[in-house]
């Protein structure tokens, strides 16, 4: 389980995360929903240790974050963090060199599935292809958890469908996924749990199916309540 | 360990194009400049021999004296030392760029670097090693070029006008090279040890800035200034309050201060990299 | 990682180690020629401690070197730690202070340059400290005395005010101890703007170590005084062991006749007036050796030969003997005077030919020898004269072993000796 | 993970408000009732279903468990699940669906206040029209 306990983060005077606590279970797909600036990306970066918290703590399977995080949790940021001069093949070679839990077989399968050309340079990739390569890097690591920052935003429909199909594939099975989005739209059925963020605080944290069972509300309905009120 | 080596190889590879350019530029500027200078000197000599009706080089040498390799290089300034200074400036600039380049661009490579499943200090050691390799590589390159230049000098100049000088003697008397390539290996280790310490201080300043963005810049500058002051302290003590330090005491003090600064810089960098750095 | 990159990095690393390694190994293993000072006449032991500061100019760049009986030490070949720890080198040519600093680093720290007395019980240091009162230009001076007890290692300091005097320049030129009284010889001078010494005077002060104050003073009267058109210059005669106890103080007093300079062009002539068309040197009217005996206060003196324009003259003292030398490069006139009564002990003329040399160069004084730098057929040589009677006690020449004749000649011709010193 | 072609079960459009896993169960019941799924026929695995219906694998898992609880499907060991061949259960499915649809129909028609005879006549005519349509065109 990935746990944020009263996580607080300030950038100068602006408080981005305000005593935020939430959990994401292994084997479930948890979705952080909130408008831009709600602190979604910051929380993911905090979980990955890419930015320090001003207060509170992140625990992964009970242990505070440390170097071991990176073999347990894969992170797919909103942009592809690879030097532009590298080719797709180089990037795979790079991941293979540094990650002992790199699954080369799965990487090459994904290359085929995502129809990526190994000799393309990172700088020449379309936004969709870059997002897919980015996802490939994350998913090809045998990790318990995968964090994805806005995996669907701003890319073509076809790529978006391909990425969505990943969520229902064996790639995700058994793994804990946290993804962020600011418009839930067509992926409502893909997620197990929704966490609604606003100004760095958790407004609502609920299991989608239980919400449907108990209150017959879709995630979007809850969002309307939370963000309109 | 091998992750550290892989990172070093990567850091070296990322800069090799500029590095090769620096080496080539140094060669062309020095070797080419020397060739042109030698040629114009020879025409000058022939002209004078004709004007003063001196029949052979020996007579000329008798009258005007030979021209040593050392004076030939000073004739061709700035083409001899300018490339060296350019290389130093480039490497000094790269001490900062080796970090900042990871933060640039729409896909900041630093995300991936900070997520590598290895101690972040490996990133630090790899970049430090890369800088030192670049510096020592250029020193080695210059040491290889000297005999080459001297060979050109001996081949183009008639024996009567030439003065044989050793590379070591040339370096020992040259204002720029005597500091870059000191007399004894002990000093070489001390000089470049101080250089290493300076790089760690600069790295620490960069990391302070990268960790505390707003006040980070000030923090970084203050740290660098404090380190510089610490290194100058023994000299200030000597000139200032008259408590005179004997040479070996000053030397010892400098070594101790340098070691402390090195340890401090590494400690702070470690803390910042693991705890405070932010993307 | 691509194999190619690994290899390239490995090659770069190897290149660095090789290029720098080979340079330093080659630099460390290549040695400049090992000249040494060999004895030609007199016994080998005389060359012990003798150091020739020389310049070996073989490649238009040249190397600083020190040639001794055992070999040559080149500045560019000295290991770093040797240079850092070299206190005597650091103190420059002021040998005794270098040795004192080595022996008593704490006592000598910070204020090395002063007048010293190094006797069997104490090391005493005397300085004149300016005290800036109202008139910054006219500070009042006082003695600062530091004493180090050699047995206990403890040191104490005190100050004693110097009486006012019209002389603006004051310096301590000798320090002796008699029981619990220190005698400090102070030289007063009035130096004009043009750097010429108008008046000069020596006073001896008695300072009581227990009461820590001046208990008496006396002017050294040698019967001559500055006056119209006459200037007095006083110098202490240089001694090798100037910090050792001595019962007398040897002074060189020269009276310069500047009458024609001042009256003619109204301005004062002399070295300082650069723009004068013909710079006329003041003429030496009198030249005396004055011996002041601390015990009795007696002054013994004798007249010395006048200096000639084209000859360099020097005065040295070695304990009981004061040597006067004058050399024009070809011949050396030598006179020995007894320090006790300033009487002439011997007189000698050493010509270059007699010494088998082409020219006689710089002279230097050692603990008990007068050294002459000679050049014979292009080879630097050293002659040592016994100060007691002026006889030639030793003659040595710079040589080099293990090379054939003309190579030796070529090497020796590229050596230039700049100074002789003795490092005991 | 395969991008398989046409699936034996059509991809329904799920609404967001009802629990998705119950909608899946209902979808299966309709297929059983309409004969699309024969007794004893194997049904796709949980992951295949999730992929085809673009739903969360856990939801698919829950749906299968629900169907097993209701005895609609049978799973031995980790072999693929099969539709039950228990006629009683299959019959009950039909009845339940019809009852459910009728209840929904009655609730929505009640407001108009039509006498039952008229209502039955209309329903009969509409039903027969649809059934005859079925025979000619192959839906």
């Amino acid at each position: 389980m990935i746990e944020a306990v009263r996580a607080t983060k300030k950038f100068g005077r602006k408080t981005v995360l305000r005593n935020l606590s939430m959990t994401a279970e292994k084997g479930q797909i948890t979705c952080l929903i909130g408008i831009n600036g709600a602190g979604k990306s910051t929380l993911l970066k905090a979980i990955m240790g890419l930015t320090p918290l001003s207060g509170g703590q992140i625990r992964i399977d009970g242990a505070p974050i440390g170097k071991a995080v990176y073999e347990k949790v894969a992170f797919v940021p909103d942009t592809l963090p690879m030097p532009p001069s590298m080719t797709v093949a180089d990037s795979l070679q790079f991941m293979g060199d540094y990650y002992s839990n790199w699954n080369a077989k799965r990487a090459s399968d994904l290359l085929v599935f995502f129809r990526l050309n190994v000799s393309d340079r990172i700088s020449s990739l379309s936004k969709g292809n870059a997002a897919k390569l980015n996802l490939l890097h994350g998913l090809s690591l045998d990790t318990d958890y995968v964090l994805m920052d806005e995996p669907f935003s701003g890319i073509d429909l076809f790529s978006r469908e391909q990425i969505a199909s990943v969520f229902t594939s064996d790639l995700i099975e058994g793994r804990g996924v946290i993804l962020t989005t600011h418009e839930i739209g067509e992926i409502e059925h893909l997620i197990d749990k929704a966490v609604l963020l606003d100004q760095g605080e958790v407004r609502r944290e609920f299991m989608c199916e239980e919400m449907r069972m108990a209150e017959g509300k879709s995630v979007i309905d809850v969002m309307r309540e939370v963000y309109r009120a | 360990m091998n992750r550290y080596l892989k990172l070093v190889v990567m850091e070296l590879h990322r800069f090799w194009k500029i590095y090769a350019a620096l080496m080539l530029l140094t060669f062309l500027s020095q070797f080419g400049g020397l060739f042109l200078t030698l040629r114009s000197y020879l025409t000058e000599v022939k002209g004078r021999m004709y004007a003063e009706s001196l029949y052979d080089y020996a007579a000329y040498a008798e009258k005007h004296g030979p021209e040593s390799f050392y004076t030939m290089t000073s004739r061709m300034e700035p083409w001899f030392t300018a490339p060296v200074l350019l290389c130093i400036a480039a490497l000094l600039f790269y001490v900062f760029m080796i970090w900042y380049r990871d933060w640039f661009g729409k896909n900041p490579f630093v995300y991936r670097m900070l997520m590598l499943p290895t101690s972040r200090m490996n990133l630090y050691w790899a970049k430090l090693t890369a800088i030192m390799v670049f510096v020592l590589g250029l020193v080695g390159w210059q040491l290889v070029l000297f005999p080459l230049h001297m060979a050109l000098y001996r081949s183009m100049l008639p024996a009567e006008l030439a003065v044989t000088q050793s590379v070591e003697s040339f370096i020992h008397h040259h204002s720029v090279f005597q500091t870059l390539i000191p007399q004894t290996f002990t000093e070489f280790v001390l000089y470049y040890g101080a250089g290493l310490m300076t790089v760690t201080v600069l790295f620490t300043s960069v990391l302070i800035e990268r960790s505390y963005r707003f006040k980070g810049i000030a923090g970084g500058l203050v740290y660098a200034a404090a380190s510089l002051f610490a290194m100058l302290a023994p000299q200030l003590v000597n000139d200032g309050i008259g408590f005179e330090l004997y040479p070996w005491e000053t030397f010892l003090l400098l070594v101790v201060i340098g070691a402390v600064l090195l340890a401090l810089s590494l400690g702070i960098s470690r803390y910042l990299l693991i705890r405070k750095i932010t993307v | 990682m691509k194999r190619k990159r690994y290899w390239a990095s490995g090659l770069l690393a190897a290149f660095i180690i090789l290029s720098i390694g080979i340079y330093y190994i080659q630099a460390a293993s290549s040695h400049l020629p090992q000249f040494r000072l060999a004895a030609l006449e007199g016994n080998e032991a005389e060359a012990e401690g003798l150091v020739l500061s020389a310049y070996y100019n073989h490649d238009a760049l040249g190397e600083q070197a020190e040639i001794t009986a055992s070999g040559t030490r080149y500045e560019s070949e000295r290991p770093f730690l040797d240079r850092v720890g070299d206190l005597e080198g650091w103190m420059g040519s002021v040998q005794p202070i270098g040795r004192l600093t080595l022996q008593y680093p704490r006592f000598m720290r910070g204020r090395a340059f002063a007048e010293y007395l190094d006797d069997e019980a104490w090391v005493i240091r005397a300085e004149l400290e300016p005290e800036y009162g109202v008139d910054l230009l006219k500070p009042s001076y006082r003695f600062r005395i530091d004493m180090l007890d050699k047995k206990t290692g403890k040191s104490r300091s005190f100050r004693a005010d110097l009486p006012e005097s019209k002389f603006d320049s004051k310096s301590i030129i000798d320090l002796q101890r008699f029981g619990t009284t220190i005698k400090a010889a102070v030289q007063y001078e009035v130096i004009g703007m043009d750097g010429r010494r108008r008046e000069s005077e020596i006073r001896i002060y008695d300072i009581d170590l227990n009461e820590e104050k001046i208990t008496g003073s006396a002017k050294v009267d040698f019967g001559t005084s500055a006056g119209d058109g006459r200037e007095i210059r006083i110098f202490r005669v240089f001694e090798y062991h100037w910090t050792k106890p001595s019962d007398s103080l040897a002074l060189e007093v020269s009276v310069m006749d500047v009458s024609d300079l001042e009256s003619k062009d109204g301005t004062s002539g002399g070295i300082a007036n650069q723009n004068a068309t013909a710079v006329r040197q003041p003429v030496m009217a009198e030249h005396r050796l004055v011996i002041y005996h601390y015990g009795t206060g007696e002054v013994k003196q004798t007249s010395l030969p006048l200096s000639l324009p084209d000859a360099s003259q020097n005065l040295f003292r070695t304990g009981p003997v004061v040597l006067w030398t004058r050399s024009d490069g070809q011949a050396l006139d030598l006179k020995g005077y007894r320090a006790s009564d300033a009487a002439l002990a011997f007189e000698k003329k050493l010509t270059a030919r007699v010494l088998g040399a082409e020219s006689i160069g710089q002279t230097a004084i050692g603990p008990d020898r007068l050294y002459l730098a000679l050049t014979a057929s292009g080879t630097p040589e050293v002659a040592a004269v016994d100060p007691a009677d002026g006889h030639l006690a030793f003659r040595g020449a710079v040589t080099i072993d293990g090379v054939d004749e003309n190579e030796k000649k070529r090497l020796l011709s590229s050596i230039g000796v700049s100074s002789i010193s003795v490092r005991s | 993970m395969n991008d398989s072609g046409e699936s034996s079960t059509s991809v329904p459009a799920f609404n967001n408000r009802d629990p998705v896993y119950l909608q899946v169960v209902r979808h299966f019941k309709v297929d059983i009732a309409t004969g699309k799924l024969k007794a004893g026929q194997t049904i796709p695995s949980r992951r295949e279903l999730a992929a085809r219906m673009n739903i969360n694998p856990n939801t698919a898992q829950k749906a299968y468990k629900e169907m097993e609880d209701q005895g609609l499907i049978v799973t031995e060991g980790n072999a693929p699940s099969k539709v039950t061949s228990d006629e009683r259960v299959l019959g009950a499915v039909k009845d339940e669906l019809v009852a459910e649809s009728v209840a929904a129909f009655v609730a929505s028609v009640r407001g108009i206040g039509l006498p039952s005879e008229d209502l039955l006549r209309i329903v009969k005519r509409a039903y027969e029209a649809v059934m005859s349509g079925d025979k000619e065109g192959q839906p």
Side-chain angles (χ1 to χ4, degrees), chain B residues 98-149:
Chain B
I98 198 166
W99 286 99
Y100 281 110
R101 67 181 301 178
D102 292 343
W103 264 270
F104 290 160
K106 60 180 175 19
N107 358 46
F109 190 34
V110 69
Y111 278 68
R112 178 55 60 201
M113 296 305 281
L114 293 179
M115 292 195 292
L116 294 181
T118 165
S119 138
R120 288 188 179 167
M121 274 307 276
N122 272 337
L123 300 182
Y124 184 95
W125 295 123
K127 289 183 192 287
L128 189 62
T129 314
I131 294 287
M132 292 315 287
V133 163
F134 289 142
V135 168
L136 295 176
L138 282 179
V139 170
W141 177 244
Q142 187 65 69
L143 284 174
V144 163
L145 287 183
F146 279 138
L148 202 64
H149 299 325

Side-chain angles (χ1 to χ4, degrees), chain B residues 4-23:
Chain B
Y4 156 71
L5 283 179
K6 282 181 184 162
L7 285 170
V8 170
V9 169
M10 187 185 78
E11 286 297 342
L12 293 179
H13 177 71
R14 291 173 78 187
F15 187 65
W16 79 271
K17 281 204 185 69
I18 302 172
Y19 192 62
L22 287 176
M23 288 173 103

Side-chain angles (χ1 to χ4, degrees), chain A residues 90 93 97, chain C residues 1-2 5:
Chain A
D90 290 342
Q93 172 80 35
D97 277 338
Chain C
M1 192 72 77
K2 288 200 186 71
R5 272 181 222 165

Side-chain angles (χ1 to χ4, degrees), chain C residues 330-347:
Chain C
Q330 283 310 313
L332 179 88
D333 292 317
L334 184 62
K335 286 181 184 249
Y337 298 88
R338 275 199 303 274
S340 51
D341 55 8
L344 182 65
F346 69 89
E347 201 174 339

Side-chain angles (χ1 to χ4, degrees), chain C residues 377-415:
Chain C
S377 59
T379 310
E381 288 191 1
V382 174
V385 172
D386 183 343
D389 54 10
H391 84 276
L392 192 65
F394 167 81
R395 204 155 70 84
V398 172
T399 185
I400 181 160
D401 313 325
V403 283
D404 58 47
E405 251 336 284
N406 42 39
E407 175 64 359
K408 176 190 255 188
K409 206 165 167 335
R410 189 184 65 76
L411 285 174
L412 288 176
S413 65
S414 53
I415 287 284

